[in-house]
Amino acid sequence: GVPADEESDRKVVIRRPGMPLKIIAPPKSPRGPGGGNRDRRGRLTVTTATSGEDERFRSDAARRRRLQRLTGHRVEEKEKLIREVVIPETITVQELANRMSERAVDVIKLLMKQGQMLKITDVIDSDTAQLIAEELGHTVKRVAESDVEEGLFEEDYNDEGAEPRPPVVTIMGHVDHGKTSLLDAIRKTEVVRGEAGGITQHIGAYQVTSPLGGRITFIDTPGHAAFTSMRARGAKVTDIVILVVAADDGVMPQTVEAISHAKAAGAPIIIAINKIDKHDADPQRVRTELLQHDIQVESMGGETLEFEVSALTGAGLKELLEGIQLQSELMDLRANPEVSAEGTVIEAKLDRGRGPVATVLIQRGSLYNGEIVVAGAEWGRVRAMIDDTGEPLRDAGPSVPVEILGFNGTPDAGDRLAVVDSEARAREITEYRARQKRERQAARTAGARSSLADMMRERQEGSARKDYALVLKGDVQGSVEAISSALEKIGNDEVQARILHAGVGGITESDITLAQASGALVIGFNVRAHKEAREAADRAGVDIRYYNIIYNLVDDVKESMSSLLPPNLREERLGEARILEVFDVSKIGKVAGCRVEDGRVERGAHVRLIRDNVVIHEGKLSTLKRFKDEVKEVVAGQECGMSFENFEKIRAGDFIECYLVHAEKRTL
Ligand code: GDP
Ligand code: MG
């Protein structure tokens, strides 16, 4: 072999995926007593661990000879690279071998020496991996599991001085105030007419050019909840919020909600007073009402830009777009297009023909076809990028929304996207996240189970809130989130929707199992049940309902939930009788001889026995007699005999109040 001194002078170039190029000059070994590889001094190695021999003072050459014996083939020293091997908490034999640029069989042989019979796909722990790596002469960098995320995003990146980028705008507002129409008018396309039921079902993102020449990116969210849940996951996507308020309707509950969401996100608001073409439009009222919510528009001396627009006639749109651009210039939005891309998944779906399709907003850097990306627990190689007009793109820069094809699975809305250098790194990250996700899910299922137990107990005790259990499946994350939040809102103190599970995709057998276990209804929004699931539902008697319009869904659930509400009981006073005398009648017991003072009394009606203005008893009338005959009712002025169900402590002079109870169905 090559003498150690000679070798140690050679610089080694290390090319490791996901890491900058490293040039390492191996440490010069001092040739004093106990020389050798300093790095290995005192370290536990496979051989010391297994043979008990002290390896500390062996020379490199001896180590190499020994290794040669162990692995059974000549170690090609000229190719030998000393690597810093990154070892996570667990690693497969294959991956460890890859990271060391060693053959997997050599690793397996070393493991065998240690008494472990393993295959290349088996997972070993980090201690074992370290022994192997050090035995093969590499240095080791142990990392915690969560370290795999490290360096994925450039956290303290400074975009100052970078190039200006288009603003990303989200349109929010009360339902039917014209969000979709406005976006549509801006794009001059036909989204509104094509939509089922006229409600926005999907998140879309589009770019338009403002009259001043700048580009503006619009995101159409299906609901404020989706907006906020994305934010909750750390995705700050929106720069500016356009709040649509219909001039004929004014500030409504969801308008207020949108204001809170926008303020919480720290995004400036631009008011679009829509539908000014309508004869009953009253934009001034909108301005005044907004004041109550701390929004002072420009024309009233405030800072919030406002524009009167009509999505129908197109009036004011030019000014609105100019306003957006001016607002964004004020904000001095910038991003560096030169770095590797970072973005956020706006929406993702499983397309039958194209596989997983993710709509991603690029926020920094540029994404190129063929790059490897990770988002949430999914990764993929970008196979194609398609812009909002359906045109293929080769690259996408800051603030550009693109559909990305090539993911191996469907990421979630709000997942952040990053580019990585290798499949191995992508796998490492996504496997770690998938594991975390599974653990979270397991924890949630445990939670659902215990809440199910709570639910049963509450039912038995006949107390507290009743739950209306649901399993919800939808075609896209945005809809599922919008529906979940709408359903969560329709409950009250007595009854509430409990969503046991909500997810994207078709209805599966496991959804049915879950529903069956908890007596839940299964809802499919723009998705259907698989054949097996359908059959399972039939067998289990689980109800599946399909919808394609959020409102119909919510209304139906609301109606069924209303049936769980205890009815309102309304009392109708019939009349009052006074007890003149009490008789003992065989078989019947005590019978009150009464005179009806006002109104009437009815057999089977509810009665109250009142003595000295105090209610002594409430119950039902068991007999009502006039002379010897059982009668249905007795009117004021007449005398009669009455007796109570299960109550005999009656006295002359007591009053008997007679009333009916009407149960009235309630609605939420
Ligand atoms: P969204 O629920 O906020 O998305 O509201 P849509 O865009 O679906 O609009 C609700 C209804 O208002 C639709 O029937 C639209 O045609 C109508 N609409 C929207 N904008 C205008 C407008 O500027 N003028 C008039 N007259 N009608 C409008
Ligand atoms: Mg809409």
Side-chain angles (χ1 to χ4, degrees):
V2 180
D5 321 320
E6 199 179 304
E7 186 191 57
S8 59
D9 284 326
R10 197 180 304 144
K11 284 189 173 138
V12 176
V13 178
I14 296 187
R15 245 177 257 274
R16 218 181 67 77
M19 290 281 174
L21 207 68
K22 263 189 198 155
I23 299 175
I24 290 183
K28 290 212 165 75
S29 308
R31 291 277 120 188
N37 194 334
R38 276 183 305 178
D39 281 345
R40 292 176 58 238
R41 197 178 310 139
R43 287 274 176 87
L44 187 66
T45 65
V46 174
T47 35
T48 55
T50 51
S51 69
E53 243 179 86
D54 192 352
E55 272 275 300
R56 253 176 271 189
F57 304 114
R58 291 220 178 175
S59 69
D60 276 1
R63 186 184 59 76
R64 241 178 262 121
R65 275 197 306 278
R66 184 171 169 73
L67 191 64
Q68 208 166 303
R69 245 189 2 260
L70 279 174
T71 59
H73 79 280
R74 263 190 70 78
V75 178
E76 291 300 323
E77 278 147 25
K78 282 197 184 110
E79 293 172 12
K80 182 72 186 176
L81 297 180
I82 293 168
R83 288 172 180 270
E84 190 191 46
V85 183
V86 174
I87 296 182
E89 283 157 35
T90 59
I91 190 168
T92 64
V93 172
Q94 174 76 74
E95 180 60 26
L96 177 64
N98 288 350
R99 289 182 190 192
M100 300 185 298
S101 278
E102 303 281 355
R103 301 194 315 163
V105 294
D106 296 342
V107 176
I108 288 174
K109 278 180 187 158
L110 278 173
L111 285 162
M112 260 162 69
K113 289 275 171 202
Q114 221 194 345
Q116 292 202 57
M117 301 289 286
L118 294 172
K119 302 187 296 292
I120 60 166
T121 50
D122 284 333
V123 174
I124 55 176
D125 62 23
S126 49
D127 288 336
T128 312
Q130 179 167 357
L131 286 179
I132 301 291
E134 287 178 347
E135 180 58 31
L136 290 167
H138 302 284
T139 61
V140 162
K141 185 177 169 213
R142 297 269 291 252
V143 293
E145 263 209 298
S146 56
D147 289 357
V148 302
E149 300 261 3
E150 217 166 84
L152 194 55
F153 294 100
E154 208 62 64
E155 292 305 346
D156 42 30
Y157 198 85
N158 193 355
D159 276 327
E160 254 171 59
E163 289 179 29
R165 65 167 175 84
V168 179
V169 178
T170 301
I171 298 192
M172 301 212 270
H174 196 70
V175 68
D176 280 347
H177 279 196
K179 296 181 291 297
T180 307
S181 308
L182 195 64
L183 195 60
D184 183 47
I186 289 167
R187 294 172 65 212
K188 298 214 168 51
T189 55
E190 300 288 322
V191 181
V192 166
R193 260 188 266 160
E195 266 185 45
I199 186 165
T200 307
Q201 309 280 15
H202 294 238
I203 293 178
Y206 324 98
Q207 261 199 344
V208 299
T209 306
S210 107
L212 299 177
R215 301 281 281 168
I216 301 170
T217 305
F218 283 91
I219 296 178
D220 187 17
T221 63
H224 311 151
F227 173 82
T228 291
S229 83
M230 280 182 43
R231 208 167 56 75
R233 271 182 266 168
K236 185 174 183 330
V237 173
T238 303
D239 300 310
I240 299 169
V241 168
I242 305 292
L243 182 61
V244 180
V245 191
D248 61 339
D249 204 19
V251 172
M252 297 302 279
Q254 284 169 281
T255 317
V256 179
E257 200 180 279
I259 294 172
S260 332
H261 284 262
K263 282 192 173 162
I269 296 175
I270 295 178
I271 307 290
I273 304 173
N274 190 31
K275 307 198 187 184
I276 48 152
D277 58 286
K278 284 196 143 184
H279 64 89
D280 54 349
D282 186 354
Q284 206 47 41
R285 188 183 123 208
V286 173
R287 293 186 177 96
T288 320
E289 285 176 346
L290 283 169
L291 276 178
Q292 295 168 15
H293 302 281
D294 279 343
I295 292 193
Q296 201 176 1
V297 295
E298 226 184 4
S299 68
M300 294 180 84
E303 304 224 302
T304 308
L305 296 178
E306 99 269 28
F307 297 92
E308 292 185 12
V309 299
S310 167
L312 195 72
T313 65
L317 295 185
K318 189 171 161 279
E319 290 76 8
L320 175 64
L321 291 175
E322 286 172 358
I324 294 169
Q325 184 167 347
L326 292 176
Q327 175 74 58
S328 89
E329 280 166 10
L330 228 90
M331 296 168 77
D332 193 28
L333 303 165
R334 287 170 188 274
N336 186 347
E338 307 297 336
V339 296
S340 70
E342 288 178 17
T344 295
V345 177
I346 303 294
E347 188 57 274
K349 62 184 178 210
L350 192 60
D351 188 286
R352 185 154 296 172
R354 301 184 297 169
V357 180
T359 304
V360 172
L361 176 77
I362 306 297
Q363 291 168 291
R364 172 183 298 149
S366 296
L367 184 64
Y368 295 89
N369 263 330
E371 284 189 314
I372 299 169
V373 288
V374 293
E378 305 297 341
W379 70 277
R381 190 181 284 275
V382 179
R383 203 171 70 225
M385 289 191 281
I386 297 151
D387 74 3
D388 51 331
T389 62
E391 292 298 315
L393 291 179
R394 272 180 31 244
D395 56 272
S399 296
V400 173
V402 279
E403 271 195 333
I404 295 179
L405 273 56
F407 269 102
N408 297 338
T410 319
D412 289 336
D415 282 345
R416 290 178 71 195
L417 173 129
V419 174
V420 296
D421 296 81
S422 68
E423 282 194 20
R425 175 114 168 95
R427 280 217 182 80
E428 182 180 65
I429 293 163
T430 52
E431 276 165 16
Y432 163 68
R433 288 175 175 174
R435 220 164 29 243
Q436 277 202 320
K437 204 169 163 183
R438 271 199 303 279
E439 277 157 20
R440 272 202 305 275
Q441 221 142 39
R444 247 206 309 275
T445 319
R449 234 179 265 132
S450 77
S451 60
L452 204 63
D454 291 347
M455 193 166 131
M456 296 302 188
R457 199 178 52 245
E458 279 168 11
R459 252 184 215 163
Q460 269 160 14
E461 288 168 1
S463 68
R465 262 213 277 218
K466 287 190 182 139
D467 285 314
Y468 190 79
L470 294 161
V471 173
L472 171 65
K473 294 305 280 290
D475 55 343
V476 288
Q477 187 72 18
S479 309
V480 170
E481 273 167 8
I483 294 166
S484 301
S485 82
L487 291 180
E488 267 152 26
K489 281 197 194 98
I490 55 181
N492 63 9
D493 291 345
E494 293 159 275
V495 43
Q496 68 181 349
R498 191 187 289 260
I499 299 169
L500 298 174
H501 170 67
V504 174
I507 296 162
T508 64
E509 268 184 281
S510 90
D511 294 329
I512 303 296
T513 317
L514 180 63
Q516 185 190 1
S518 40
L521 171 72
V522 179
I523 293 181
F525 184 76
N526 280 337
V527 295
R528 292 290 175 265
H530 303 157
K531 183 164 166 286
E532 296 75 23
R534 219 162 42 231
E535 287 164 3
D538 282 345
R539 279 196 305 276
V542 168
D543 203 2
I544 305 180
R545 286 191 220 158
Y546 299 118
Y547 298 91
N548 61 354
I549 296 169
I550 296 182
Y551 284 144
N552 294 350
L553 188 164
V554 173
D555 277 355
D556 268 16
V557 171
K558 204 170 183 173
E559 205 183 300
S560 336
M561 271 171 68
S562 299
S563 70
L564 289 182
L565 281 177
N568 262 339
L569 301 177
R570 190 174 55 82
E571 207 172 282
E572 183 195 349
R573 189 176 185 277
L574 291 176
E576 199 174 66
R578 190 149 66 101
I579 301 180
L580 306 171
E581 230 184 316
V582 178
F583 306 98
D584 259 320
V585 179
S586 56
K587 281 179 193 159
I588 297 175
K590 287 220 163 43
V591 174
C594 322
R595 186 172 50 234
V596 179
E597 306 263 285
D598 70 89
R600 65 200 156 92
V601 292
E602 273 181 25
R603 182 152 48 97
H606 291 263
V607 283
R608 275 188 200 102
L609 187 73
I610 299 164
R611 184 177 299 159
D612 302 328
N613 297 317
V614 176
V615 176
I616 304 290
H617 171 72
E618 277 185 332
K620 281 199 160 183
L621 219 47
S622 61
T623 54
L624 178 61
K625 286 191 172 185
R626 219 169 125 61
F627 305 110
K628 287 260 163 342
D629 305 322
E630 194 69 39
V631 291
K632 276 182 79 179
E633 67 163 43
V634 178
V635 297
Q638 292 181 336
E639 291 193 355
C640 60
M642 293 191 238
S643 68
F644 296 94
E645 276 178 8
N646 312 318
F647 188 78
E648 298 214 316
K649 291 176 203 151
I650 50 177
R651 269 193 226 157
D654 291 349
F655 283 93
I656 295 170
E657 190 182 72
C658 186
Y659 59 97
L660 295 176
V661 174
H662 300 282
E664 276 163 4
K665 227 184 115 179
R666 285 163 60 204
T667 52
L668 278 167

